[in-house]
Amino acid sequence: MGSTQPGTITKVLLVGANGTLGSALLTALVEAGCFQVSVLLRSGDAPPRADMAAAAPRVVVSPSMNVDELVTACTGQDAVIAAFQIHDISHHLNLAEASFVAGVRRFIPADFGSCESSDEVAQRYFPMYGKKTFLRGRYEELAQKAIDQGKPFTWTSIVNGHFFDYGLEDKLLHFDLDTHVARILDGGNIRASTSTLRRVSEAVVRVLQRYDETRNRALYIQSFCPTQLEVLAALERATGTKWRTEHLESKQYLEENSELLATDYHKASFSIVFVLGTMDADWTRRDGFAMELLGLEDEDLDHVVAAVVAKKKGNANAT
């Protein structure tokens, strides 16, 4: 059985623990020391980190993730966290439905994102955000149904902006640590909230620890809210190198990559998300900005950038 105290989350089922965000979430949940964590895997999925095997037992389901088997997997859990990509929308719908049926009290969906998926510009340029908006609508419906029927189901979405450290390492933010070239949008002076994987993980833990205050709402978090030029300056300080810049016009870049979606979806989608999460992601101006609510403070930009650069150098020296 799950926790008996109404506002206490103890048993947590994490779906997607073998992914980039999921592995960070797993570490944070285990290290918090107040949760009994299990991980749900589809048969054939790669397992999460070996050092977490004892701390987080596995629950295996079929690749189809049908509702009946998910209900069994979710029964007795206080919270279910979806940290896997939205490729097959039915898997996310089934997981939410199963959480409702099984009596799960908090569902955290895969709404972690570079921008607010319901915004008109995001919807226009990237169809995947339509899926996210549809899913959030379903979570809201289930929460209202739970209220009407006296069920415990609630949800919390966490919107974090670009994954900052991961985005720097993998060039998704268009700062190239190999060539020291930065691609700057519209002059580079627009502020955008962005979060490290650690910050997103901290936010998830805090949401689960603040059950009443965080129910049935979208919360916006950040590590910091810099301009591109401020990130560039931090990179130049960390690398001791003057970077070269390429300047882009955001609207034109969006239009060009929208046309590429049909022929090169992977490349075009990352470029579109880069623009959306850079040009319209200042969470400090949003209702639902939740740093104070979650007891979080901004991280130090120079410290985080220096750590990414040091990690890059370390990996290069190891090879």
Side-chain angles (χ1 to χ4, degrees):
M1 295 293 291
S3 302
T4 56
Q5 295 297 319
T8 302
I9 298 291
T10 300
K11 299 191 69 176
V12 179
L13 181 66
L14 174 61
V15 187
N18 52 351
T20 299
L21 175 60
S23 60
L25 291 175
L26 178 58
T27 298
L29 289 165
V30 171
E31 291 182 349
C34 55
F35 304 116
Q36 299 173 34
V37 186
S38 302
V39 298
L40 185 144
L41 298 172
R42 295 173 301 181
S43 57
D45 281 350
R49 288 177 12 216
D51 62 330
M52 289 292 175
R58 303 173 191 173
V59 179
V60 180
V61 298
S62 71
S64 65
M65 294 182 67
N66 68 68
V67 172
D68 288 342
E69 63 182 341
L70 289 175
V71 168
T72 300
C74 293
T75 297
Q77 300 292 337
D78 297 315
V80 171
I81 303 168
F84 61 105
Q85 293 183 341
I86 300 176
H87 291 311
D88 188 335
I89 193 172
S90 69
H91 291 170
H92 294 266
L93 290 170
N94 289 353
L95 187 62
E97 183 70 29
S99 297
F100 174 85
V101 172
V104 169
R105 292 190 288 117
R106 179 57 48 84
F107 183 73
I108 298 181
D111 213 4
F112 311 98
S114 296
C115 65
E116 171 49 60
S117 59
S118 64
D119 285 353
E120 186 270 334
V121 174
Q123 295 269 336
R124 184 195 322 156
Y125 284 104
F126 197 29
M128 189 272 288
Y129 287 128
K131 294 182 180 180
K132 279 194 172 185
T133 302
F134 174 80
L135 286 168
R136 191 185 291 180
R138 181 55 181 155
Y139 310 143
E140 292 172 343
E141 290 174 359
L142 287 172
Q144 184 58 54
K145 185 178 177 181
I147 292 171
D148 295 341
Q149 298 183 4
K151 301 283 189 180
F153 179 92
T154 59
W155 63 277
T156 307
S157 285
I158 298 171
V159 186
N160 47 258
H162 285 319
F163 294 122
F164 184 77
D165 45 350
Y166 173 67
L168 279 185
E169 293 169 12
D170 277 23
K171 306 178 185 179
L172 301 177
L173 302 187
H174 287 48
F175 292 101
D176 193 322
L177 289 169
D178 294 319
T179 63
H180 295 166
V181 174
R183 308 188 82 184
I184 304 298
L185 295 169
D186 295 358
N189 284 307
I190 296 174
R191 295 197 174 278
S193 298
T194 179
S195 300
T196 62
L197 293 172
R198 177 182 176 183
R199 171 49 43 91
V200 180
S201 303
E202 289 174 333
V204 169
V205 169
R206 300 292 177 91
V207 164
L208 296 179
Q209 292 172 333
R210 291 160 172 76
Y211 175 81
D212 290 325
E213 305 97 307
T214 60
R215 67 170 69 205
N216 297 336
R217 56 188 304 198
L219 301 177
Y220 300 84
I221 59 132
Q222 65 181 31
S223 288
F224 23 64
C225 189
T227 68
Q228 281 189 291
L229 293 183
E230 288 173 345
V231 176
L232 175 60
L235 283 165
E236 290 183 335
R237 288 190 290 269
T239 59
T241 304
K242 181 67 177 177
W243 283 47
R244 183 167 63 87
T245 57
E246 297 177 356
H247 288 266
L248 307 171
E249 196 278 313
S250 62
K251 186 174 182 180
Q252 179 182 350
Y253 196 58
L254 276 176
E255 296 289 351
E256 291 171 353
N257 282 281
S258 294
E259 294 175 2
L260 285 176
L261 275 174
T263 55
D264 192 346
Y265 181 87
H266 183 77
K267 179 180 178 181
S269 63
F270 279 118
S271 295
I272 291 170
V273 171
F274 156 65
V275 177
L276 295 175
T278 303
M279 304 307 293
D280 187 23
D282 183 349
W283 303 153
T284 65
R285 301 180 179 184
R286 292 258 183 174
D287 291 337
F289 184 57
M291 296 291 285
E292 183 176 354
L293 173 66
L294 299 180
L296 297 171
E297 297 182 353
D298 279 2
E299 298 185 67
D300 184 274
L301 177 64
D302 276 305
H303 178 78
V304 172
V305 168
V308 172
V309 170
K311 180 181 177 182
K312 177 75 173 178
K313 289 181 179 178
N315 291 340
N317 292 335
T319 59

